[in-house]
Amino acid sequence: MTNNSDKGQLSAALYKRATAVMPGGNSRHTIFFPPHPLYAARADGARVWDVDGVERIDCINNYSSLIHGHNHPAIVAAIREQAGLVSSIAMPTEREIELAEIVCGRLPGVERIRFANSGTEGVMFAIKAARAFTGRAKIAKVEGAYHGSDGTAGISVNPSPAHWGDPDAPASVAPAGTGPGTAADTVIIPMNRVEAARKILRAHANDLAGVIVDPMVKNLGYTAATPEFLTMLREETSAVGALLIFDEVYSLRLGFHGAQGAVGITPDLTAMGKIIGGGLPIGAVGGKAEIMDQLFDPRGSASLSHGGTFNANPLTMAAGVAAMTHFDEAAFDRLTVLGDRLRAGLREALRIAGAPGMVGGATSMVSLFHLEAEITTYRDIAAAMAANPDAMRRTDLFFRRMLDCGYVIAPHGFFVLSTAMTEGDIDRLIEAALATLRALEGVSA
């Protein structure tokens, strides 16, 4: 494996071209890092090559969407076959039915499903559905949780201490570009603080359309919602006639039957994306038949308009069917074993190197924070980072050194695994992480 990430001359040249036609040189903030991102040339299985010919192991898999890594033969074959038939058309196809049958057969709370083009759209339509079904305006969400780019979903994702308010009654903090009134219709609750969140929900009971929650919050280091917290959300929404929405765009990876199957809580609506599209753009909203039929069925008086030129695009549907068919229970179990192996190895690497850090996550999702603190809420992370000013520097250095060692991870320390990875890949990743942690600590091997 070639380790010369600092010699990305072709990437630098491409970035210079890009800045002339795109703000900051790209269309996706999450993949940028200074002085310039590395440009991909090709990928296969668990490996990716940049335009300068450097080979690396892909440990982020397009932020979870590539459950089987790159160029899985069955997915490639399905896309090729479908492309030779019809790639885009204003008609439904059988592949759409097949993917709907797979997802509805796998998730307990999804009896009906509608497809869109991104997780953001899946969340957006779930929120719209909750408001339309209940006739109420307010949506509650966890402080610090990311649910895509919809206006409501974007409230209080990264609130500052100057604006976030009382921990028992968090303020609704709107980012730039948010429409007027959006923050007022968004209720913020603290993660895993059961009684504080219950009190907030009851205070808004008459206006509450729904609560959206990710059972494992990526922005909190893949912190899981506790059973007590999820049970409370189910109880409180049911009691006041509001809808419980699970955001499973990421956390569908938590169980073969989704996060809802793993935690034993059935939501009213589920937002989806990423892995169900086989690596192509996809989003979806699914839920109980009575809700979905009332809101979306065009044979009746559907109260929600749901169009979209590329909804249920034939290429995506074909890729999704292939991906989900091959992501069977054996594949899920094997991927979970790899995730457990990585978490255990990273914890041991931290111990050997004498480095500060916390390893989290579940199944195929793994996080590494370069600090030590008890994390329950977004404010816990903010407080820990403020108390450990060196943590961000270490995080950036770890990311860059891992690139040099031949591994692509998320800049903030996240790993999302694919079935294309092997135990050997994981073991070599752990060895690289140990070497990097030792370098950060100035410890010789």
Side-chain angles (χ1 to χ4, degrees):
M1 195 170 292
T2 308
N3 300 331
N4 55 347
S5 65
D6 59 341
K7 297 180 181 178
Q9 296 179 357
L10 291 179
S11 282
L14 288 174
Y15 183 66
K16 184 177 180 180
R17 279 178 58 194
T19 56
V21 288
M22 289 177 279
N26 69 21
S27 300
R28 192 174 174 186
H29 286 167
T30 51
I31 64 170
F32 173 78
F33 57 89
H36 59 79
L38 300 176
Y39 283 73
R42 64 186 180 93
D44 189 64
R47 286 160 173 77
V48 60
W49 289 261
D50 68 26
V51 291
D52 289 283
V54 181
E55 174 191 348
R56 296 180 179 86
I57 300 291
D58 189 348
C59 302
I60 191 63
N61 286 289
N62 199 16
Y63 283 81
S64 179
S65 63
L66 300 169
I67 195 70
H68 298 298
H70 301 275
N71 295 340
H72 187 284
I75 298 174
V76 172
I79 293 171
R80 282 177 173 160
E81 179 183 6
Q82 187 61 52
L85 298 172
V86 58
S87 61
S88 181
I89 193 169
M91 298 170 67
T93 66
E94 187 177 357
R95 299 293 86 76
E96 177 185 3
I97 303 170
E98 291 175 357
L99 185 55
E101 288 171 341
I102 291 171
V103 177
C104 289
R106 214 171 271 197
L107 273 65
V110 179
E111 298 172 336
R112 302 281 194 275
I113 189 171
R114 300 275 296 198
F115 293 108
N117 294 286
S118 67
T120 286
E121 287 184 40
V123 167
M124 178 183 73
F125 275 103
I127 289 171
K128 288 168 69 74
R131 286 173 170 153
F133 189 77
T134 63
R136 303 170 186 169
K138 293 187 176 180
I139 299 291
K141 69 179 293 279
V142 167
E143 185 175 52
Y146 175 76
H147 298 287
S149 304
D150 175 66
T152 298
I155 301 297
S156 290
V157 174
N158 295 298
S160 69
H163 300 101
W164 65 24
D166 192 296
D168 290 329
S172 297
V173 182
T178 305
T182 304
D185 285 335
T186 308
V187 177
I188 305 302
I189 57 176
M191 177 74 163
N192 286 339
R193 295 187 58 196
V194 176
E195 294 310 317
R198 188 194 305 274
K199 184 177 180 180
I200 294 169
L201 295 179
R202 289 183 174 179
H204 294 276
N206 293 335
D207 302 313
L208 192 65
V211 178
I212 185 167
V213 63
D214 187 334
M216 179 161 281
V217 183
K218 177 180 73 70
N219 282 21
L220 302 187
Y222 290 127
T223 295
T226 64
E228 296 79 10
F229 187 70
L230 291 175
T231 298
M232 179 275 295
L233 295 181
R234 180 67 283 178
E235 291 172 350
E236 294 301 315
T237 50
S238 297
V240 302
L243 301 188
L244 179 60
I245 305 166
F246 272 14
D247 176 355
E248 296 210 32
V249 174
Y250 259 94
S251 60
L252 194 69
R253 283 173 171 259
L254 270 180
F256 180 72
H257 297 288
Q260 54 202 260
V263 302
I265 301 286
T266 302
D268 300 299
L269 295 171
T270 303
M272 291 159 280
K274 296 194 183 291
I275 71 169
I276 67 170
L280 296 187
I282 196 167
V285 58
K288 295 179 178 178
E290 61 179 298
I291 299 172
M292 296 294 292
D293 289 347
Q294 176 179 320
L295 298 177
F296 293 103
D297 191 339
R299 296 171 299 179
S301 54
S303 54
L304 274 183
S305 174
H306 182 225
T309 302
F310 293 102
N311 287 0
N313 175 263
L315 293 178
T316 299
M317 297 296 99
V321 169
M324 294 302 287
T325 299
H326 284 80
F327 191 49
D328 56 16
E329 290 191 77
F332 173 82
D333 291 343
R334 177 180 168 276
L335 201 49
T336 298
V337 169
L338 292 182
D340 291 341
R341 191 183 191 96
L342 178 56
R343 278 182 290 275
L346 289 175
R347 291 187 181 108
E348 180 66 5
L350 288 168
R351 185 193 67 79
I352 294 172
M358 302 184 302
V359 178
T363 62
S364 54
M365 300 173 287
V366 182
S367 65
L368 172 60
F369 278 179
H370 295 270
L371 51 78
E372 295 174 346
E374 184 176 347
I375 302 298
T376 300
T377 68
Y378 169 78
R379 300 188 188 200
D380 293 335
I381 288 183
M385 295 299 290
N388 296 271
D390 195 45
M392 284 304 296
R393 182 189 68 85
R394 295 176 63 87
T395 299
D396 182 64
L397 286 175
F398 184 83
F399 164 69
R400 292 174 183 277
R401 285 178 177 267
M402 289 299 287
L403 279 179
D404 288 346
C405 292
Y407 296 90
V408 180
I409 68 173
H412 295 301
F414 299 109
F415 307 75
V416 187
L417 309 183
S418 76
T419 62
M421 303 178 84
T422 66
E423 289 185 356
D425 291 331
I426 298 299
D427 291 344
R428 286 186 290 273
L429 169 59
I430 293 166
E431 291 172 4
L434 174 57
T436 296
L437 290 168
R438 277 179 158 153
L440 293 183
E441 294 301 306
V443 177
S444 60

